[in-house]
Amino acid sequence: MRHALFLLVASYLFQNARAGGSLNSIGAALRKRVLHPGYLATFTPAIFLLELAIAYMMEGYGWKRRLACLVIGGATFAVAIFAPFSMGILGNFTISSMNIFDVLDYVSGNRLLPVSEPVTATFLACIWGGDKALKETTTDGAITFAWASL
């Protein structure tokens, strides 16, 4: 439903921009900048990852969607906003001789990523179970993989 709404709004803006409507400048700006395929390719995984955290808060803690979106989006924004500033107004601010962008890159690449891999493998093997993982990855046996029999 959300994807359909996004496409509907984008379509409306493009049609209005082509017809020379009142949203001409907004539609043109969106067409050239925001809805450019490069930007869409960048934002799609980010929105997907936010959706995972939002769904977890909704299902795990019973949060309303609006609250989950505000908290998760706000926390993400609060951490991420420093990355572009580290190349500009916060360029002289360093932590262990690294600017903020380098610190965020170091923490995510060298600390969080190596921890997430064994946690995911442990979850799949011990908590969720191999049978359920196999059933999910093979679409109830409709797709077969060479490793499925291992």
Side-chain angles (χ1 to χ4, degrees):
M1 178 67 181
R2 284 173 268 139
H3 303 295
L5 181 62
F6 172 76
L7 292 174
L8 182 66
V9 170
S11 172
Y12 173 77
L13 288 173
F14 287 149
Q15 288 173 354
N16 232 355
R18 282 191 207 123
S22 61
L23 295 176
N24 191 13
S25 59
I26 295 173
L30 285 173
R31 187 172 56 246
K32 289 179 183 175
R33 303 282 184 227
V34 177
L35 296 176
H36 186 274
Y39 287 107
L40 288 177
T42 303
F43 288 125
T44 302
I47 291 171
F48 171 73
L49 291 173
L50 282 175
E51 179 61 32
L52 289 176
I54 290 166
Y56 175 76
M57 293 310 224
M58 288 172 56
E59 293 175 10
Y61 295 103
W63 288 14
K64 301 262 188 217
R65 183 166 190 80
R66 181 180 208 93
L67 174 65
C69 288
L70 289 173
V71 170
I72 299 297
T76 303
F77 179 80
V79 171
I81 192 63
F82 293 104
F85 289 153
S86 70
M87 303 296 178
I89 60 174
L90 296 176
N92 294 330
F93 182 77
T94 59
I95 300 171
S96 299
S97 72
M98 294 186 290
N99 65 15
I100 297 170
F101 184 81
D102 293 334
V103 169
L104 291 173
D105 178 51
Y106 176 79
V107 168
S108 66
N110 296 330
R111 298 294 182 240
L112 295 178
L113 189 60
V115 169
S116 70
E117 293 168 357
V119 167
T120 302
T122 303
F123 171 76
L124 285 174
C126 299
I127 298 172
W128 199 33
D131 294 337
K132 290 180 183 175
L134 184 62
K135 184 178 177 184
E136 182 70 25
T137 55
T138 61
T139 316
D140 293 329
I143 302 171
T144 59
F145 296 103
W147 56 266
S149 60
L150 299 177

